[in-house]
Amino acid sequence: PMSAPSIASMQIDVPELGTAVGGNHGDFSLNGQVIDYKRRPPGIASNRGVFCIRVRGESMAPRFEEGDLIFVDPNRPTKGGDDVLVEMKPQRAGEPGNAYIKRLVSKTPTKIILRQFNPADAKVELQAEKVLRVSYILTLADLVGV
């Protein structure tokens, strides 16, 4: 049987990007600053686009709790049922836009429909033209490579 890689063999090179608590409408804002580097799990050994962030807020509890570290792949296509990081275009040049961690329900040419768990089953609709990107949140299976 194949043995699992040792923790020591995992490179510490996945950038952790900083967040700031969001305004009235966002969970937080993603400031783009690298604040730390985390170990690269085997399932993403060759995926250099992945980054990680800490969860802010309680909107996705119990799936994601305040302070949880999540790994995000901005290049992987998303579909309904995926947990996603949604980054909005900035309202003012040079400032980060609001960001959300939600479950993707569906995408249309004009709307992105999301769901959060707290309050229970609340829906969030965003205008597609205001969205910068929708990025896939990697699962444990993705990270360990199963």
Side-chain angles (χ1 to χ4, degrees), residues 30-71:
L30 191 62
N31 66 20
Q33 304 279 315
V34 175
I35 58 169
D36 201 0
Y37 290 91
K38 300 299 180 193
R39 290 196 189 274
R40 180 173 296 279
I44 59 167
S46 62
N47 187 338
R48 296 295 159 185
V50 171
F51 63 90
C52 54
I53 59 169
R54 297 252 172 220
V55 172
R56 292 283 200 148
E58 302 292 330
S59 71
M60 287 295 285
R63 174 70 180 101
F64 298 113
E65 301 282 353
E66 173 89 27
D68 283 353
L69 185 69
I70 59 171
F71 288 75

Side-chain angles (χ1 to χ4, degrees), residues 6-102:
S6 72
I7 292 287
S9 73
M10 293 181 206
Q11 292 184 325
I12 303 174
D13 66 350
V14 178
E16 179 182 348
L17 302 185
T19 60
V21 174
N24 305 350
H25 304 294
D27 291 346
F28 57 89
S29 61
L30 191 62
N31 66 20
Q33 304 279 315
V34 175
I35 58 169
D36 201 0
Y37 290 91
K38 300 299 180 193
R39 290 196 189 274
R40 180 173 296 279
I44 59 167
S46 62
N47 187 338
R48 296 295 159 185
V50 171
F51 63 90
C52 54
I53 59 169
R54 297 252 172 220
V55 172
R56 292 283 200 148
E58 302 292 330
S59 71
M60 287 295 285
R63 174 70 180 101
F64 298 113
E65 301 282 353
E66 173 89 27
D68 283 353
L69 185 69
I70 59 171
F71 288 75
V72 179
D73 185 347
N75 301 312
R76 185 165 167 169
T78 57
K79 63 185 181 333
D82 289 342
D83 292 323
V84 296
L85 168 67
V86 180
E87 296 172 75
M88 304 301 289
K89 292 176 182 170
Q91 293 179 329
R92 287 184 279 290
E95 290 185 12
N98 285 332
Y100 304 88
I101 295 171
K102 304 288 182 227

